Amino acid sequence: MARSFPAPEAWRRLIKRSLPATLYGRTFLIIVLPVALMQLAVAWVFFDAHWRTVTMQLSDGLAGDVAWALESYEDDPSPAGLARTAGRAERSMSLSIAYLPDRPLPETRRRNAFATVDSSLRQALAARIDAPFWFDTTRYPAYIDIRVQTHGGVLRVLAPRERAVATQGGIFLGWMAAATLILTGVSLVFIRNQVRAIERLAQAAEDFGRGRDAPAFKPYGAREVRQAAKAFLAMKARIQRQIEQRTALLASVSHDLRTPLTRLRLELAMTDPGPATEAMKRDLSEMEHMIDEYLAFARGEGGEQAVDMDLGALVREAAEGARRSGSPIEVTLPADGVPYRGRRGALKRALANLISNASAHGEQVHVGVSLTDGGVTVTVDDDGPGIPPERREEAFRAFNRLDDSRNQNAKGVGLGLAIARDAARGHGGDVRLEDSPLGGLRAVLRLPAGS
């Protein structure tokens, strides 16, 4: 059966998932990986060429000394001749020679982790000595044990390790490892400084999106990062000017519209009461309510600044406002309060819209606040007719009033949920509609932690 291999696209996906997701990790990989590969290549070239060559030359020299000691002993195998040969070898070659009578060669030995050491010494001894031999390069840390079969026993030679192995290789690797660590540390410092500039730019943009000012933010870092930061500050200034102009315009429009409405209300107050007068008063009240909702929706977050508050107390205030209209509302709050930082007016407007919307369509309303790892969750439940799941997203559209599935009050203009979602998203959260345990609709307002 033919073996199947993953498709190239699968390999690309696997590699993509394996790579770091952050800019810090990817930049670190881009800088450190080539350095590490270069160090490995240098080490490989060193051991494969220089270190191997030096080791073979040293092994050949040691094999020649062992062959000389063997020939000298065989020329005069007496104890006096052995002592004379051992003395010369000790003084001139740093070799320790001993004769082991009636002893065979060992049958096993431990292999060296560096195969080059054993192979080089084996080749050198085989080229210089015709008799059977045995050696071990791992038994003694500072010596190499070489044994040669002779008539009646074994001639044992202990040679210093540096006579057969280039011992500077470990020092070379140590310096390479130290250099790699130093370069990695320097890279970490520089990468961190560059990434911190991008992180602060992202944080400033997020703060601005949530209505929090960051006056201490200044462009710094690489030239491209400074250019992006300057472009962000220019964009921020343009948006703030636009918001200020829009707010001033809305304030002027509000004043211009309320003045004639106030005159009409005064004229109606002085008019004789009657069915027509009461109808005009209701129309006038509806017009004022519609203007308030239009202005609240158009004003959005305005120039309101974020402040520290107790979100639980804000929920109680919004619920109390709905109770004054005659709606029974049950509120469940954490015992320790709900500290939060945000725009108080926008959040109160969102909560009031959600609660008043629930009280207008249901007889039972329950408001709950809970703290989660991701932030704060406010749920508003009612036992009204609810909204079909396929139409819930449609309910958030501005000026969109659903049909009789939610019995709309006369004053509604279809902006309550739109204002609530706009305020929630301005804080980095959102509003969703779900099925309520009470049988009606549940509005879930989620606000992220750290706002």
Side-chain angles (χ1 to χ4, degrees), residues 9-244:
E9 184 63 29
W11 281 111
R12 284 195 292 268
R13 288 196 299 268
L14 178 62
I15 295 174
K16 187 176 181 179
R17 288 196 299 266
S18 303
L19 292 176
T22 62
L23 177 62
Y24 181 81
R26 293 185 178 185
T27 306
F28 177 78
L29 191 65
I30 291 172
I31 295 179
V32 173
L33 186 60
V35 174
L37 293 177
M38 181 191 67
Q39 298 284 38
L40 290 175
V42 171
W44 177 267
V45 171
F46 172 80
F47 276 98
D48 190 59
H50 176 74
W51 189 76
R52 182 189 295 270
T53 301
V54 172
T55 299
M56 292 184 66
Q57 292 176 352
L58 292 174
S59 297
D60 187 67
L62 177 60
D65 294 341
V66 172
W68 171 85
L70 179 62
E71 291 177 359
S72 298
Y73 171 74
E74 289 180 345
D75 290 342
D76 187 4
S78 63
L82 176 63
R84 185 167 55 253
T85 300
R88 292 176 180 175
E90 181 70 26
R91 290 191 302 270
S92 303
M93 308 172 191
S94 299
L95 301 180
S96 177
I97 299 178
Y99 178 69
L100 306 177
D102 301 326
R103 293 280 296 274
L105 292 176
E107 296 181 357
T108 61
R109 66 179 178 87
R110 292 174 292 183
R111 296 183 180 277
N112 198 306
F114 296 99
T116 301
V117 176
D118 287 353
S119 62
S120 298
L121 186 58
R122 183 184 300 106
Q123 292 178 9
L125 291 173
R128 297 278 187 166
I129 300 173
D130 295 331
F133 62 85
W134 175 93
F135 66 90
D136 193 333
T137 60
T138 61
R139 177 173 297 183
Y140 306 108
Y143 294 94
I144 294 177
D145 188 359
I146 302 175
R147 304 184 188 188
V148 183
Q149 187 74 53
T150 62
H151 299 291
V154 172
L155 187 68
R156 182 183 186 185
V157 180
L158 290 179
R161 189 174 185 82
E162 59 268 15
R163 289 292 312 275
V165 181
T167 56
Q168 299 299 319
I171 299 176
F172 174 78
L173 290 178
W175 276 108
M176 286 190 62
T180 302
L181 291 177
I182 293 174
L183 291 175
T184 301
V186 173
S187 300
L188 286 174
V189 173
F190 280 95
I191 294 172
R192 185 57 188 165
N193 289 336
Q194 298 304 316
V195 173
R196 186 181 290 114
I198 300 176
E199 290 175 346
R200 290 186 177 180
L201 174 59
Q203 185 62 45
E206 184 177 0
D207 290 342
F208 178 66
R210 295 185 178 184
R212 298 200 303 263
D213 195 11
F217 173 73
K218 295 180 180 179
Y220 82 101
R223 181 174 61 185
E224 292 80 0
V225 179
R226 291 198 304 270
Q227 289 177 348
K230 291 177 181 178
F232 163 73
L233 291 176
M235 178 195 68
K236 177 183 175 183
R238 289 194 299 269
I239 293 176
Q240 287 177 334
R241 285 196 301 270
Q242 181 182 5
I243 292 175
E244 292 172 358

Side-chain angles (χ1 to χ4, degrees), residues 31 134 323 327 396 410 443:
I31 295 179
W134 175 93
R323 286 195 188 101
S327 301
F396 288 103

Side-chain angles (χ1 to χ4, degrees), residues 39 106 111 136 142 159 212 245 312 328 330 338 369 384 407 422 425:
Q39 298 284 38
R111 296 183 180 277
D136 193 333
R212 298 200 303 263
Q245 293 171 358
E330 181 184 353
V338 187
V369 181
N407 184 19
D422 184 61
R425 289 182 173 177

